[in-house]
Amino acid sequence: MTTPTRRRLALAGLLALTAAAMAPAHAQGTYPQRPIRFIVPFPAGGGTDNLTRLVGTKLTEAHGWAIVVENKPGAGGNLALDQVAKAPADGLTLVMAQTDNVVLNPLLYSKLTYNPDKDLRAVALVAAGPAVLVVNADSPYKSLDDIVQAAKKDPGRLSFATPGTGTISHLISEAWQKSSNVKFTHVPFRGMAQAMPDLLGGRIDMYMGSVPTLLSHIQSGKVRAIGVTTASRSKLLPDVPTYTESGIKGVELASVWGVMAPAGTSDAIVKQLNEAINKVVNAPDTARKIADSGAELITGTPQDMARLYASDRARLAPIVKSSGTTLD
């Protein structure tokens, strides 16, 4: 074999080795190779659906990614989270999780078909929102203290409606009753749309739901907001006091929305998704839309998200236990 031939073979081998070494990086850089399925655990038109579609649209605009939003409601979000937990861990199936399903469902169901701590992986925080207590605009109750005093005089008479048993609104009502030593009658609905006619008709005394869900009814004057559950007042409801301001402790709770993926999703893909989501939600236009909906923009690392959900579950576990609430 001549010297030039040896040199050509050596060069070809070197190029082949270089290409092989670079192949994983190149493959990673082409993510996502196919459309991303972004699963919503609730029906279309609600707060979680709107937030998912906003984030998906902004990711498409910023990166050209094809994103298909799918609604898979049912079983308090369990159907959607189970589907994502069992999906291939290639970063092409995501879910917009929230406190009700990731934090509360493991406390409320004795058996789940998935384990949110082992089968799902935190990707990125997106938003948080307080619950707000509303009454009919004609209600005699104008403050949280008015309700507490009425409940002490006649335990169990006042009806406290929520979007359903085991929701964050329901557990907040349990925490409030314990903190103030009062008793309400819980009336679960399947959502605000079903509860509003009864609230406006005077058949229920109060309703607790998310600010994004109730904001338009508050602004129209149909209902009166008298308390929010976060540590500070809502920017969209600056005149509505917090429970803490009203002297009611242990009710500083909010719903937190965040993107999750199957547990085996690679660090590289999770990092890429986290950076992309943080960037688009922090953009002024997206941040404004999130704020206008009544939610609060929050971002952070996947580790921040996992720690926040773990902390919320630790806070809510004794409330669930003392209430005796189960969903089996």
Side-chain angles (χ1 to χ4, degrees):
M1 186 181 294
T2 64
T3 298
T5 301
R6 289 193 183 95
R7 287 174 178 169
R8 284 196 297 272
L9 290 172
L11 179 60
L14 178 62
L15 289 173
L17 288 171
T18 302
M22 293 180 63
H26 175 72
Q28 176 185 324
T30 61
Y31 169 84
Q33 297 90 347
R34 301 189 305 279
I36 296 172
R37 298 170 64 212
F38 206 167
I39 310 297
V40 185
F42 300 102
T48 302
D49 179 69
N50 293 337
L51 186 62
T52 306
R53 293 179 188 277
L54 173 62
V55 173
T57 298
K58 294 303 179 181
L59 286 172
T60 298
E61 292 175 356
H63 301 282
W65 296 350
I67 296 177
V68 179
V69 175
E70 296 181 13
N71 296 88
K72 193 174 182 65
N78 285 333
L79 296 183
L81 269 68
D82 178 74
Q83 178 180 349
V84 176
K86 292 177 170 59
D90 53 12
L92 298 178
T93 305
L94 307 173
V95 64
M96 183 64 80
Q98 69 177 93
T99 301
D100 278 358
N101 41 61
V102 176
V103 175
L104 284 172
N105 282 356
L107 302 172
L108 294 164
Y109 292 85
S110 61
K111 292 182 181 180
L112 290 175
T113 55
Y114 67 98
N115 184 321
D117 300 325
K118 295 180 179 180
D119 300 331
L120 294 167
R121 183 171 184 181
V123 173
L125 289 162
V126 175
V132 57
L133 184 76
V134 298
V135 297
N136 188 314
D138 297 327
S139 170
Y141 309 118
K142 294 181 170 56
S143 70
L144 293 170
D145 188 61
D146 287 345
I147 294 174
V148 169
Q149 296 308 318
K152 286 185 176 180
K153 290 179 181 178
D154 194 354
R157 183 182 65 81
L158 295 185
S159 52
F160 190 110
T162 70
T165 300
T167 60
I168 188 70
S169 295
H170 173 213
L171 273 301
I172 287 171
S173 80
E174 295 291 341
W176 178 13
Q177 291 174 82
K178 185 175 182 179
S179 175
S180 297
N181 193 28
V182 295
K183 178 63 178 176
F184 304 130
T185 296
H186 179 224
V187 183
F189 286 84
R190 286 187 293 176
M192 180 273 297
Q194 289 75 26
M196 193 55 60
D198 282 355
L199 182 66
L200 298 180
R203 292 179 290 277
I204 54 177
D205 294 302
M206 48 190 159
Y207 178 84
M208 179 171 280
S210 69
V211 172
T213 300
L214 289 166
L215 186 62
S216 63
H217 296 280
I218 296 169
Q219 292 174 333
S220 71
K222 292 180 180 179
V223 299
R224 180 190 308 127
I226 58 177
V228 295
T229 63
T230 37
S232 56
R233 296 192 181 196
S234 167
K235 293 179 181 178
L236 290 180
L237 301 171
D239 297 327
V240 180
T242 68
Y243 271 70
T244 302
E245 286 180 285
S246 302
I248 300 169
K249 307 296 183 183
V251 193
E252 291 184 5
L253 295 165
S255 289
V256 177
W257 289 269
V259 179
M260 302 191 85
T265 307
S266 71
D267 291 345
I269 289 178
V270 169
K271 182 175 185 292
Q272 185 175 349
L273 281 167
N274 178 268
E275 291 174 351
I277 293 169
N278 283 347
K279 185 174 182 179
V280 298
V281 299
N282 275 302
D285 178 58
T286 313
R288 178 182 57 77
K289 288 180 178 179
I290 291 174
D292 287 348
S293 76
E296 176 187 348
L297 168 68
I298 56 171
T299 55
T301 66
Q303 293 75 21
D304 292 332
M305 179 177 170
R307 281 192 294 266
L308 180 56
Y309 277 154
S311 173
D312 281 352
R313 192 181 298 161
R315 294 179 61 201
L316 285 162
I319 298 173
V320 173
K321 184 177 181 179
S322 66
S323 72
T325 304
T326 63
L327 294 179
D328 288 320

